[in-house]
């Protein structure tokens, strides 16, 4: 599925709260990744198609420091193969007792043009990641290397992240509240609907701050709908 630049820009201007409401109208309830937060609060919003990495539990005979020699380790490959503009999404089984990755790999992703990274586990070197201009979401800091708990297995396959299914190409959107997964097939439609909903909610916010009550306004009745149309023409939105 194609994901247009117009849709990317629209999704950068809407909240994850609005997106979950729009997706609920499409019948989707399980779209908000559980218990993750952005490490670097000053980083821009996260928007981009998913490129996935899956971990399974580590085993001592095969998960040792020697596996990083060469170019075949899936974690390293994920960093070097995640396409520009995409989001690396890591299934760490909600286990943050060892790091999913660290600052050097995050810096490499940023330098390669990735749109961000999300794991339901933890990252190490978080004081360094905190200063990257690159959105990085995790559940908790974790100093130990991934090999202690994680065996990197699959790239670009369906995964679960924070109890939410993520398929390659699904659109990831993150703000300071968390991360939402939009199925790729409906991403353009959802972007349009969420953008329109955001414009309407800006109108509602303005009216509420002016002292108006919510009944008949949110959701709108005919009078509020007419007032919104006039407000929108005046604002040029």
């Amino acid at each position: 599925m194609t994901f247009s630049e117009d849709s990317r820009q629209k999704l950068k201007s809407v909240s994850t709260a609005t997106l979950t409401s729009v997706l609920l109208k499409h019948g989707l309830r399980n779209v908000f990744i559980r218990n993750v937060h952005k490490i670097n609060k000053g980083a821009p919003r996260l928007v981009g198609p998913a490129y996935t990495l899956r971990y399974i539990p580590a085993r001592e005979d095969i998960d040792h420091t020697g596996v990083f020699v060469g170019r075949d380790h899936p974690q390293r490959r994920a960093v070097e193969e995640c396409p520009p503009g995409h989001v690396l999404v890591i299934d760490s089984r909600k286990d943050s007792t060892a790091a999913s990755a660290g600052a050097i790999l995050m810096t490499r992703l940023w330098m390669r043009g990735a749109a961000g990274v999300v794991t339901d586990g933890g990252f190490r070197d978080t004081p360094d990641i905190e200063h990257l201009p690159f959105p990085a979401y995790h559940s908790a800091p974790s100093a130990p290397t991934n090999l202690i708990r994680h065996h990197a297995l699959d790239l670009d396959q369906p995964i679960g992240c924070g109890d939410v299914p993520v398929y390659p190409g699904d659109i990831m959107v993150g703000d300071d509240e968390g991360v939402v997964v939009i199925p790729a097939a409906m991403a353009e439609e959802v972007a349009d609907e969420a953008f329109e909903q955001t414009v309407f909610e800006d109108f509602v916010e303005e009216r509420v701050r002016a002292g108006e009550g919510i009944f008949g306004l949110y959701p709108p009745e005919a009078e509020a709908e007419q007032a919104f149309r006039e407000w929108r023409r005046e604002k040029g939105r």
Side-chain angles (χ1 to χ4, degrees):
M1 302 294 296
T2 59
F3 179 57
S4 69
E5 183 59 28
D6 179 63
S7 291
R8 185 188 292 269
Q9 293 305 316
K10 285 180 177 178
L11 290 174
K12 284 183 177 181
S13 69
V14 304
S15 70
T16 56
T18 296
L19 284 170
T20 59
S21 296
V22 170
L23 287 164
L24 179 60
K25 294 176 183 177
H26 288 265
L28 297 175
R29 299 172 181 271
N30 184 31
V31 294
F32 188 70
I33 294 178
R34 312 293 194 276
N35 300 319
V36 301
H37 63 275
K38 186 162 66 172
I39 297 171
N40 37 0
K41 294 295 186 181
R45 288 194 176 193
L46 174 82
V47 179
Y51 183 84
T52 61
L53 165 65
R54 181 167 71 100
Y55 284 124
I56 64 172
R59 201 175 74 186
E60 287 78 3
D61 62 321
I62 56 176
D63 291 296
H64 50 80
T65 55
V67 300
F68 292 135
V69 177
R71 303 189 177 195
D72 293 330
H73 192 269
Q75 183 212 43
R76 295 324 205 235
R77 285 181 52 208
V79 171
E80 292 294 339
E81 296 176 15
C82 179
H86 283 56
V87 177
L88 178 59
V89 186
I90 306 173
D91 175 2
S92 297
R93 310 176 327 283
K94 299 184 292 183
D95 184 348
S96 61
T97 57
S100 302
I104 290 176
L105 301 190
M106 296 300 96
T107 301
R108 177 58 178 160
L109 272 172
W110 167 55
M111 293 299 294
R112 291 193 59 253
V117 61
V118 181
T119 181
D120 58 2
F123 290 128
R124 67 197 306 198
D125 310 317
T126 54
D128 296 321
I129 295 173
E130 189 175 3
H131 296 293
L132 289 175
F134 169 82
Y137 290 80
H138 77 166
S139 63
S142 187
T145 186
N146 64 332
L147 299 173
I148 291 174
R149 297 290 295 176
H150 304 305
H151 174 81
L153 187 65
D154 291 331
L155 292 177
D156 215 27
Q157 296 294 320
I159 62 170
C161 187
D163 292 323
V164 178
V166 181
Y167 288 78
D170 283 350
I171 304 304
M172 313 297 295
V173 181
D175 59 13
D176 287 344
E177 198 151 41
V179 179
V180 166
V181 183
I182 307 173
M186 63 175 63
E188 301 277 326
E189 181 180 5
V190 167
D192 290 340
E193 291 181 25
F195 181 80
E196 291 299 311
Q197 180 68 21
T198 298
V199 174
F200 173 69
E201 289 178 353
D202 288 346
F203 159 76
V204 170
E205 178 76 15
E206 185 175 300
R207 298 295 286 262
V208 169
R209 286 181 178 274
E212 189 170 334
I214 60 172
F215 292 123
L217 175 66
Y218 190 65
E221 295 176 354
E223 184 177 344
E225 289 177 347
Q226 178 61 32
F228 171 58
R229 287 191 289 270
E230 294 173 359
W231 176 90
R232 192 167 191 177
R233 282 195 297 271
E234 291 173 2
K235 299 289 187 179
R237 300 183 64 181

